[in-house]
């Protein structure tokens, strides 16, 4: 992980693909513990470090994750995410070229817990949650397309599922129909930018993640 923003209340880091935000059944050290260790060492804190998880990224995804350093910031950041007052921009490298250069995708998603997978429906079905995102083409190579995605809702595997439903599976995402995996086990999805009004200082915060250290990302020349 790489810290990209920090103040007295919040720290935002750019996570690597493969890092998990919170503990899971694998027993691997989660990002929240790595960031706690970083803060403990940076400030030579003698006791436990408070760090609240505000949101999550899927394990194979790259990019920005925000944490709260105080309980006050945690409750306020949770509220911002819950009310949609955090603008989240993702970049995705997909295997096909979409029919339209830009558009809005609206689906109803159902989640299969056993498979850890979501399914997109074009109409409301029992137990489904409405999912909305906007996308636009921002780059092309011989074999791939770079999309910029704005999330309007926050659903399980939303971008992965909705782009696949559009016929644009994310590179390396075997679960949603990619032809082959990426060598490092990642999927080519990056949490590129987040912006919000700071819940304490009221300043506008806008943070951007570095591109993954991968030739394909840099080939788009962004």
């Amino acid at each position: 992980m790489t810290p990209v923003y920090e103040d007295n209340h919040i720290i935002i880091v750019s996570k690597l693909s493969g890092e998990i935000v919170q503990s899971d059944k694998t027993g691997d050290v989660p990002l929240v513990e790595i960031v706690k260790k970083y803060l403990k060492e940076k400030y030579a804190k003698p006791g436990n470090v408070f760090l609240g998880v505000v949101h999550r990224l899927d394990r194979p995804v790259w990019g920005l994750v925000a944490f709260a350093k105080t309980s006050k910031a945690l409750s306020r950041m949770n509220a911002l995410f819950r009310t949609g007052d955090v603008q989240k921009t993702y970049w995705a490298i997909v295997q096909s070229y979409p029919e339209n250069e830009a558009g809005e995708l609206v689906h109803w998603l159902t989640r299969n817990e056993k498979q850890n997978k979501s399914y997109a429906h074009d109409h409301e079905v029992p137990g489904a949650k409405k999912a909305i995102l906007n996308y636009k083409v921002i780059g092309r190579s011989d074999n791939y397309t770079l999309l910029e995605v704005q999330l309007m809702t926050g659903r399980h595997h939303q971008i992965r599922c909705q782009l696949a439903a559009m016929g644009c599976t994310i590179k390396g995402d075997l679960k949603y129909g990619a032809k082959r995996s990426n060598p490092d086990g990642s999927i080519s999805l990056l949490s590129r930018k987040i912006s919000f009004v700071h819940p304490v200082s009221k300043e506008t915060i806008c943070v951007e993640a570095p591109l993954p250290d991968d030739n394909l990302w840099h080939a788009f020349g962004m």
Side-chain angles (χ1 to χ4, degrees):
M1 70 92 190
T2 305
V4 291
Y5 174 84
E6 185 186 353
D7 60 30
N8 290 335
H9 305 278
I10 295 164
I11 181 168
I12 302 173
V13 304
S14 184
K15 93 170 188 73
L16 300 173
S17 167
E19 291 181 320
I20 51 172
V21 176
Q22 286 183 294
S23 298
D24 66 5
K25 60 189 177 187
T26 64
D28 294 340
V29 178
L31 189 61
V32 64
E33 294 302 326
I34 294 170
V35 178
K36 277 185 183 180
K37 185 172 183 284
Y38 163 81
L39 293 172
K40 189 177 177 69
E41 291 174 357
K42 181 177 180 180
Y43 298 106
K45 287 181 175 281
N48 291 330
V49 173
F50 177 89
L51 195 67
V53 176
V54 176
H55 66 122
R56 296 159 187 80
L57 277 188
D58 297 342
R59 184 166 194 160
V61 179
W62 309 79
L64 299 174
V65 183
F67 296 95
K69 294 169 63 179
T70 64
S71 56
K72 178 166 75 171
L74 177 61
S75 60
R76 292 183 182 184
M77 286 295 289
N78 280 339
L80 287 180
F81 273 90
R82 190 168 55 247
T83 54
D85 289 317
V86 178
Q87 284 71 52
K88 294 170 282 185
T89 303
Y90 289 77
W91 283 7
I93 297 174
V94 299
Q95 296 178 165
S96 306
Y97 196 79
E99 195 173 316
N100 299 306
E101 288 275 319
E104 179 182 75
L105 299 183
V106 180
H107 293 97
W108 280 262
L109 303 189
T110 53
R111 180 175 178 178
N112 184 311
E113 296 277 357
K114 189 175 285 188
Q115 294 176 320
N116 189 31
K117 184 176 180 180
S118 288
Y119 291 85
H121 310 268
D122 58 10
H123 58 277
E124 194 166 2
V125 298
K129 293 182 177 179
K130 193 173 186 179
I132 306 170
L133 64 77
N134 295 318
Y135 74 89
K136 65 179 178 181
V137 175
I138 58 171
R140 292 185 72 174
S141 70
D142 290 343
N143 300 309
Y144 299 103
T145 306
L146 180 62
L147 300 180
E148 183 169 275
V149 175
Q150 301 276 355
L151 270 185
M152 301 295 109
T153 53
R155 307 301 184 203
H156 177 258
H157 290 184
Q158 180 179 337
I159 297 174
R160 300 166 67 179
C161 183
Q162 285 194 278
L163 291 185
M166 182 174 69
C168 293
T169 299
I170 294 170
K171 182 179 180 292
D173 197 359
L174 296 178
K175 180 166 281 193
Y176 287 94
K179 296 168 188 169
R180 61 184 67 87
S181 60
N182 288 341
D184 60 3
S186 71
I187 64 173
S188 299
L189 178 61
L190 171 70
S191 173
R192 177 64 166 170
K193 187 188 297 183
I194 58 175
S195 58
F196 56 92
V197 175
H198 195 290
V200 180
S201 71
K202 304 305 178 186
E203 293 176 22
T204 298
I205 306 298
C206 187
V207 182
E208 197 169 87
L211 292 180
D213 186 17
D214 175 272
N215 289 338
L216 183 58
W217 283 102
H218 294 281
F220 286 101
M222 307 301 287

